[in-house]
């Protein structure tokens, strides 16, 4: 929240997949704004559509999937760009660390070549070999890796180091926005913390906007400024992270926060009964109504709740408000 | 009566012979571990640690999937590697496990019924099909699933949480005397995690089945278990009452772990995690295994491994910081897990 310029403005994003069983409404009309220099957490259960939002932003949804709506990045609607223009945007303007990225490093390429690969493709030239090596050393330094890692192969690195290499690749061209999809899900608690601290420090130092995708509310509480909660392809609530935890408005957010293990109240378990609805030909009404403890039978099962700003910067989609 | 299951001075090494244990050439996954568990022990003990701590090795040894490099695994006082066919069958029935990956335990070509009907058949639990069916149904109901929505389906038609609950139901059908749960909720969605843990807790309380909960997630460990065993590189670092260990960890390693927990509270941010990085193995496999990363390392730490000091009632730590305290033998570790009469934890 260093300044109030809206960097990313997503409007009515709909990502549908047309399959034999029907239409999978993976993302069903979400709006999302992100200011520059802000870290946004996007949480939801598996199947809630959070990764699909990220892939839609990267224009990496393939048929039978379709993307509709607007994704404005710094005034440019990504969905209107040609394939070649979009290719130029990736890495240089909008960059992503996909889920399980560390297992997708090329096992037979040195780390430095994997870092340079995308940059050279995007037209980066270095005056001399020395300059290129200096650039690499500096890049590795900011992700807290020793320079010798550049000459190594992925199998020589630990999980935490591989993840740092992925971060280095993602920020190598100084993008405006970084999307990290569960960047620490395969790491131990101590390493997870170290990697997250590096990522959040980078975001601060480089004034980078970041979208952190995950299901770990604890990690979100530690790392982000704003929190968005998704459920079955819909945006349920969005607000400042402290407010979201201290005063959750949507019954789903309330239940999600109550289900978390906190210090104190040991042995009290508050799960959310039921399971999420199918996103294939979803029923009308609020997607959470069949698990909601404040469901209003007259309206909730029949009409989807509008997504509206209930107070400045705080959005919620629920008939209660 | 002999205890239900016992690890007696068990060591497991990988990549070489036990003779090379102190040379650093082999990986010591579990180092001279002694651990005793009695029957009808209505408590959950967490075995916690990072990857490489030996927690999964311990599980594999208890299940008889790995043979110890040294020491013995005893079931009802008998070495599990020397039991006859009948005894092995009894062991297999009474020691059950729930694994981490709720996808991998199913054969995708068979209906989920298979997972439940095979143990019924193998152990002759039902006289006929109807009886088998009602056994399956009651076990599923017990874990909060509706049998009509579950039976007859294929694994890919169910969610991860449902599949994991069927795995719990399968263990339940056999009425085991010990349940080993290896990261049972790490691949389950947040909203279903609490429900699944509560079910494991309820089974443990109502049927008095001891549960070993193996995890790296200290937040769920804190909620579900009564006692905790913190492991690092095959050795116990700290053990005791979970409330004491998590709230007020004494060993520098446990402190590092606890300070790294991302608590879901934006007002309770990560504290200072004290860790230093020294070069490769300064202890030459002789001293405390954590010395390399420990901010409090002294000369003593690299000479010989610290014993378990009783830092307070119900809590021990293997660290020379507590030299003034009395020592308990590693073999008597299980004394740290007394059976309490009434369940101390509300459910």
């Amino acid at each position: 929240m260093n300044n109030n310029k809206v960097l990313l403005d997503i409007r009515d994003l709909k990502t549908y997949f047309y399959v034999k069983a029907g239409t999978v409404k993976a993302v069903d009309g979400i709006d999302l704004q992100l200011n520059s220099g802000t870290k946004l957490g996007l949480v939801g259960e598996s199947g809630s559509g959070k990764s699909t939002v990220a892939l839609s932003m990267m224009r990496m949804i393939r048929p039978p999937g379709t993307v509709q709506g607007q994704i404005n990045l710094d005034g440019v609607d990504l969905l209107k760009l040609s394939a070649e223009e979009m290719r130029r945007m990736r890495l240089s303007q909008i960059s992503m660390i996909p889920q399980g990225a560390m297992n997708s490093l090329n096992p037979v390429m040195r780390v430095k070549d994997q870092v340079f690969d995308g940059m050279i493709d995007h037209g980066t030239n270095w005056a001399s070999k020395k300059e290129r090596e200096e650039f690499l050393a500096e890049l590795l330094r900011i992700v807290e890796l020793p320079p010798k890692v550049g000459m190594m192969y992925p199998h020589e690195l630990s999980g935490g180091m591989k993840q740092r290499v992925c971060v280095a690749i993602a920020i190598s061209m100084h993008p405006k926005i970084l999307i990290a999809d569960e960047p620490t899900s395969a790491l131990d608690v101590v390493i997870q913390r170290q990697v997250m601290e590096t990522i959040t420090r980078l975001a601060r130092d480089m004034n980078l906007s970041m979208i952190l995708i995950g299901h770990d509310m604890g990690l979100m509480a530690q790392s982000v400024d704003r929190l968005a909660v998704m459920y079955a392809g819909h945006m349920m609530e969005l607000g400042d992270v402290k407010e979201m935890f201290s005063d959750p408005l949507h019954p789903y957010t309330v239940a999600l926060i109550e289900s978390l293990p906190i210090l104190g109240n040991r042995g009290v378990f508050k799960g959310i009964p039921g399971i999420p609805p199918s996103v294939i030909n979803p029923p009308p009404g609020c997607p959470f109504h069949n698990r909601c403890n404040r469901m209003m039978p007259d309206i909730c099962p029949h009409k989807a709740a509008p997504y509206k700003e209930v107070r400045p910067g705080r959005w919620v989609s629920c008939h209660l408000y | 009566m002999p205890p239900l299951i016992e690890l007696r001075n068990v060591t497991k090494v990988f990549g070489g012979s036990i003779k090379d244990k102190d040379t650093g050439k082999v990986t010591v996954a579990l180092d001279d571990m002694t651990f005793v568990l009695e029957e009808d022990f209505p408590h959950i003990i967490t075995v916690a640690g990072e990857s490489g701590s030996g927690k999964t090795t311990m599980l594999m040894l208890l299940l008889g999937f790995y043979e110890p490099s040294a020491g013995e695994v005893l079931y009802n006082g008998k070495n599990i590697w020397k039991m006859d066919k009948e005894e092995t069958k009894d062991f297999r029935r009474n020691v059950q496990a729930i694994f981490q990956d709720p996808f991998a335990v199913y054969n995708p070509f068979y209906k989920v019924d298979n997972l439940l009907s095979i143990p019924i058949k193998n152990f002759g639990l039902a006289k006929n099909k109807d009886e088998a069916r009602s056994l399956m149904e009651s076990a599923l109901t017990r874990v909060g699933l509706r049998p009509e929505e579950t039976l007859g389906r294929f694994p890919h038609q169910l969610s991860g949480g449902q599949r994991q609950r069927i795995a719990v139901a399968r263990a339940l059908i056999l009425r085991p005397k010990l349940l080993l749960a290896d990261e049972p909720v790490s691949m389950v969605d947040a909203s279903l995690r609490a429900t699944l843990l509560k079910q494991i807790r309820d089974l443990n309380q109502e049927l008095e089945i001891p549960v070993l909960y193996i995890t790296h997630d200290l937040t769920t460990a804190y909620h579900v278990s009564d006692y905790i065993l913190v492991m690092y590189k095959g050795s116990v670092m700290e053990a005791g009452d979970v409330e004491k260990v998590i709230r007020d960890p004494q060993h520098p390693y446990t402190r590092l772990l606890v300070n790294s927990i991302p608590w879901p509270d934006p007002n309770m941010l990560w504290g200072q995690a004290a860790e230093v990085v020294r070069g490769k193995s300064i202890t030459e496999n002789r001293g405390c295994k954590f010395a390399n990363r420990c901010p409090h390392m002294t000369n003593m730490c690299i000479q010989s491994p610290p014993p378990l000091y009783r830092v307070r009632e119900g809590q021990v730590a293997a660290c020379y910081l507590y030299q003034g305290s009395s020592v308990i033998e590693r073999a008597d570790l299980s004394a740290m897990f007394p059976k309490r009469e009434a369940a101390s934890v509300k459910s």
Side-chain angles (χ1 to χ4, degrees), chain A residues 45-46 188-190 192-194 215 218-219 221-222 242 245 260-267 269 271-272 274 291, chain B residues 50-51 189 191 195 222-223 225 242-243 247 259-260 262-271 273 275 345-346:
Chain A
E45 298 174 51
S46 37
D188 275 322
V189 59
V190 178
Q192 160 174 290
R193 174 200 166 134
Q194 292 164 348
H215 61 262
L219 203 58
Q222 303 291 329
K242 286 195 178 172
F245 275 93
L260 299 170
I262 52 161
L263 207 52
N265 261 342
R266 194 164 71 82
F269 300 99
I272 307 177
R291 296 170 83 186
Chain B
E50 295 175 275
S51 44
D189 269 319
S191 74
T195 315
Y222 171 76
H223 276 264
S225 57
V242 74
E243 185 86 40
R247 287 242 183 194
N259 280 331
S260 297
W263 291 105
D265 182 350
N267 296 313
M268 201 168 117
L269 292 182
W270 274 322
E275 184 188 12
V345 171
K346 337 174 254 298

Side-chain angles (χ1 to χ4, degrees), chain B residues 128-201:
Chain B
N128 52 47
K129 275 196 170 166
D130 289 343
E131 220 179 287
R133 174 101 190 165
S134 73
L135 255 179
M136 283 154 70
E137 284 179 357
S138 69
L140 288 171
T141 314
R142 189 72 193 258
V143 295
L145 291 171
R146 279 188 287 266
E148 65 276 12
E149 285 178 11
T150 322
L151 295 174
R153 301 262 188 131
F154 285 97
H156 70 265
Q157 295 171 305
L158 301 171
S159 74
Q162 285 173 310
R163 274 192 293 249
Q164 198 63 305
R165 276 194 259 182
I166 298 174
V168 177
R170 185 198 60 89
L172 192 65
I173 284 183
L174 294 163
R175 291 279 164 138
K177 290 179 178 158
L178 171 64
L179 190 61
L180 305 166
D182 186 9
E183 303 267 14
V185 296
S186 72
M187 293 178 75
V188 174
D189 269 319
S191 74
L192 303 170
R193 241 176 228 190
T195 315
L196 196 63
L197 285 174
K198 183 175 185 324
Q199 275 157 1
I200 293 174
R201 178 86 221 173

Side-chain angles (χ1 to χ4, degrees), chain B residues 111-128:
Chain B
K111 290 175 180 166
V112 294
D113 312 30
N114 211 40
L115 196 78
L116 300 169
S117 61
I118 284 179
I120 294 178
K121 204 171 88 192
N122 285 355
F123 292 104
L125 301 181
K127 288 190 204 72
N128 52 47

Side-chain angles (χ1 to χ4, degrees), chain A residues 218-257:
Chain A
L219 203 58
M220 294 296 169
Q222 303 291 329
S223 318
V224 301
D225 309 314
R226 305 262 296 161
L227 188 64
V229 179
M230 277 190 76
Y231 184 79
H234 293 262
M235 191 63 80
M236 303 310 253
E237 192 167 358
L238 170 71
D240 285 343
V241 67
K242 286 195 178 172
E243 244 186 76
M244 291 283 280
F245 275 93
S246 62
D247 182 23
L249 296 176
H250 199 287
Y252 176 61
T253 321
V254 174
L256 198 58
I257 288 170

Side-chain angles (χ1 to χ4, degrees), chain B residues 39-332:
Chain B
E39 214 171 297
D40 299 331
F41 178 79
H43 298 298
I44 298 184
I45 301 179
T46 293
V47 182
E50 295 175 275
S51 44
S53 62
K55 56 190 197 303
T56 301
T57 304
M58 184 171 158
L59 172 102
M60 297 304 246
L61 285 159
L62 284 169
L63 283 169
F65 292 167
Y66 289 164
E67 196 168 356
S69 306
E72 289 178 309
V73 183
L74 305 171
Y75 170 69
N76 286 334
K78 286 208 172 111
N79 186 332
I80 60 168
W81 289 88
K82 292 183 180 140
M83 292 192 299
D84 62 30
K85 207 176 164 190
E86 277 308 300
E87 287 165 334
T88 306
K89 198 168 176 182
D90 180 62
F91 168 71
R92 283 271 166 256
R93 173 173 177 173
N94 284 317
V95 178
Q96 287 295 323
I98 308 166
F99 295 99
Q100 179 173 14
D101 189 342
F103 295 77
V105 298
Y106 292 90
N107 182 332
F109 295 112
Y110 289 108
K111 290 175 180 166
V112 294
D113 312 30
N114 211 40
L115 196 78
L116 300 169
S117 61
I118 284 179
I120 294 178
K121 204 171 88 192
N122 285 355
F123 292 104
L125 301 181
K127 288 190 204 72
N128 52 47
K129 275 196 170 166
D130 289 343
E131 220 179 287
R133 174 101 190 165
S134 73
L135 255 179
M136 283 154 70
E137 284 179 357
S138 69
L140 288 171
T141 314
R142 189 72 193 258
V143 295
L145 291 171
R146 279 188 287 266
E148 65 276 12
E149 285 178 11
T150 322
L151 295 174
R153 301 262 188 131
F154 285 97
H156 70 265
Q157 295 171 305
L158 301 171
S159 74
Q162 285 173 310
R163 274 192 293 249
Q164 198 63 305
R165 276 194 259 182
I166 298 174
V168 177
R170 185 198 60 89
L172 192 65
I173 284 183
L174 294 163
R175 291 279 164 138
K177 290 179 178 158
L178 171 64
L179 190 61
L180 305 166
D182 186 9
E183 303 267 14
V185 296
S186 72
M187 293 178 75
V188 174
D189 269 319
S191 74
L192 303 170
R193 241 176 228 190
T195 315
L196 196 63
L197 285 174
K198 183 175 185 324
Q199 275 157 1
I200 293 174
R201 178 86 221 173
D202 289 349
L203 295 176
N204 158 264
Q205 298 284 299
E206 287 162 27
L207 307 175
E208 303 209 332
I209 302 171
V211 178
L212 272 192
Y213 177 61
I214 292 165
T215 189
H216 70 271
D217 178 3
L218 294 176
T219 53
T220 55
Y222 171 76
H223 276 264
V224 81
S225 57
D226 303 290
Y227 300 110
I228 188 167
L229 202 62
V230 180
M231 313 264 299
Y232 183 71
K233 291 195 176 171
S235 296
V236 174
M237 293 285 129
E238 184 159 0
D241 187 296
V242 74
E243 185 86 40
K244 287 176 183 157
V245 174
I246 305 267
R247 287 242 183 194
D248 190 11
Q250 297 297 311
H251 196 286
Y253 176 63
T254 321
R255 284 191 192 149
L256 175 66
L257 281 183
V258 170
N259 280 331
S260 297
I261 298 175
W263 291 105
D265 182 350
N267 296 313
M268 201 168 117
L269 292 182
W270 274 322
Q272 284 294 314
E275 184 188 12
V276 288
V277 182
R278 298 190 183 90
K280 254 202 167 357
S281 202
I282 46 164
T283 63
E284 294 157 1
N285 305 303
R286 274 184 294 151
C288 171
K289 290 175 174 157
F290 187 61
N292 269 339
R293 294 167 68 187
C294 185
H296 305 287
M297 190 198 70
T298 62
N299 258 339
M300 213 168 176
C301 303
I302 54 177
Q303 300 303 328
S304 63
L308 288 169
Y309 292 105
R310 188 188 293 271
V311 293
R312 71 174 74 149
E313 189 57 40
Q315 188 174 3
V316 289
C319 180
Y320 285 123
L321 287 176
Y322 308 98
Q323 276 186 76
S325 314
S326 60
V327 170
I328 83 157
E329 288 301 317
R330 286 198 177 252
D332 297 333

